[in-house]
Amino acid sequence: MKITAAIERGAATRPWNFAPGPAMLPAEVLAEIRAELEDYAGTGVSPLELGHRSDAFRALAQRTEESLRELMAIPADYAVLFLHGGATLQFGMVPLNLARQGTAGYLITGQWSAKAYAEAAGIGRAHAVWDGRAEGYLRLPAHAEWHLPRDCSYLHYTVNETIAGVEFHALPETGDLPLVADMTSMILSRPVDVRRHALIYAATQKNLGIAGLTVVILRPELLPEQTAGLPSMLDYRAHMAAASLLNTPPVFAWYVAGKMLDWIRAQGGVAALAARNRRKAQMVYAALDGSGFYCNAVHKSCRSWMNVPFRLHEAALEPLFLREAEAAGLRNLAGHRSAGGLRASLYNAMPEAGAAALAAFLRDFERRHG
Ligand code: PMP
């Protein structure tokens, strides 16, 4: 079958993995990990065994931070932290540290920003500046549709909603008010202006490696002078003072993040990946839009490049779609358990050949069942 041939050309014998995260890693990164698994950099120990106080780890951590700063053009006056707890812990840490005075503003554009808002509202004063839930999270608001509270301390937004497939392609306009961004499902997929943000956070299991590590990029002067009463693990200042080594870090996830950053540099950096990601998304949306068989109802101006949710008009065919896709080497295309339907995640590691294989399968399945 034509599709199987495309898969063989693109990725030897491995299926294409469209999982939303933990997500696929580039073949080159997997090969490097395999080669180093028993001896990391001549230390005689595996990266799975590496001590976080060793010289080798210290060098690894320094290089990882330097790579992230270079690839994201992070200004020198920003701090970069490597923490545990996933993006979900940041839902709480952000208001605990930044919303001690005033009201935190939240743009609710999908399930992840709704969770971030709920956490902030349980901690202090939070205001839902706009909420797209009643409209099914199919679009982003125009600037005229939302107003910030007068005592607003920051505006939080989720750049890419992994479940709804809605993405901000331009920053929300807030004037001087600091932005806080959840970049978990789009970090390093295209250039972003870090300087416009007070704080950016992203768990690494989509575009930056494996689960267990969360990157936080922040402007220290925006932290309150006093964070007395916070447990140290929830206090950005304590993590900064300890260079992210307050306790034993997720060493292996940190190592993989370093490998991913090296790989991104070798691909030509974030701008080159952005061009590729755009082409991948266009291939898949074109196959969906060019048919009366599939649908993606997200407003075209805010469609995600990373996560493409879609449905079959005839929903009863979706289980068959998943079975046939799996047999053709296209894995993990089921939608989020809360949303149902189907979803293709096209993170940095997904080659164009993978997106092309999916687009070809979409057309082929429609031809046979449409
Ligand atoms: N924010 C976004 C946009 C996500 O996609 C996810 C996970 N899919 C999270 C937050 C939660 O991340 P974690 O599971 O690492 O806490």
Side-chain angles (χ1 to χ4, degrees), residues 20 85-89 91 112 158 160-162 182 184-185 203 205-206:
T88 303
L89 184 60
F91 295 168
W112 292 112
T158 301
N160 181 64
E161 283 285 356
T162 320
D182 177 354
T184 296
S185 52
Q205 65 269 23
K206 298 165 198 295

Side-chain angles (χ1 to χ4, degrees), residues 141-164:
H143 184 57
E145 290 179 82
W146 50 272
H147 301 282
L148 296 167
R150 281 203 334 172
D151 63 340
C152 199
S153 44
Y154 61 81
L155 179 72
H156 179 284
Y157 74 116
T158 301
V159 186
N160 181 64
E161 283 285 356
T162 320
I163 299 171

Side-chain angles (χ1 to χ4, degrees), residues 336-359:
H336 188 266
R337 63 189 192 286
S338 69
L342 305 157
R343 173 176 52 169
S345 295
L346 306 169
Y347 300 120
N348 280 343
M350 177 61 68
E352 282 182 78
L358 174 59

Side-chain angles (χ1 to χ4, degrees), residues 67-75 183 187-188 192 194 200 215 217 270:
S67 297
L68 188 68
R69 284 184 180 276
E70 173 203 323
L71 289 165
M72 286 185 71
I74 300 172
M183 296 199 181
I187 192 166
L188 294 155
V192 285
V194 174
I200 291 167
V215 169
I217 301 161
V270 176

Side-chain angles (χ1 to χ4, degrees), residues 255-316:
Y255 158 84
V256 178
K259 292 280 166 210
M260 280 300 293
L261 291 164
D262 290 345
W263 178 84
I264 291 169
R265 193 183 294 104
Q267 303 305 298
V270 176
L273 281 179
R276 186 190 295 174
N277 287 330
R278 178 179 208 145
R279 289 194 297 271
K280 282 154 46 184
Q282 278 170 348
M283 274 191 255
V284 175
Y285 286 118
L288 297 175
D289 290 343
S291 88
F293 187 71
Y294 303 103
C295 71
N296 168 300
V298 175
H299 197 281
K300 286 202 173 132
S301 64
C302 50
R303 279 175 164 181
S304 168
W305 290 3
M306 296 281 101
N307 309 98
V308 185
F310 59 100
R311 303 221 61 136
L312 270 61
H313 282 300
E314 204 176 319

Side-chain angles (χ1 to χ4, degrees), residues 90-96 99 102-106 108 113-129 154 156:
Q90 296 310 307
F91 295 168
M93 273 180 83
V94 165
L96 278 172
T103 302
Y106 281 74
I108 304 182
S113 44
K115 284 196 171 155
Y117 167 71
E119 198 84 351
I123 287 168
R125 263 182 294 152
H127 176 64
V129 169
Y154 61 81
H156 179 284

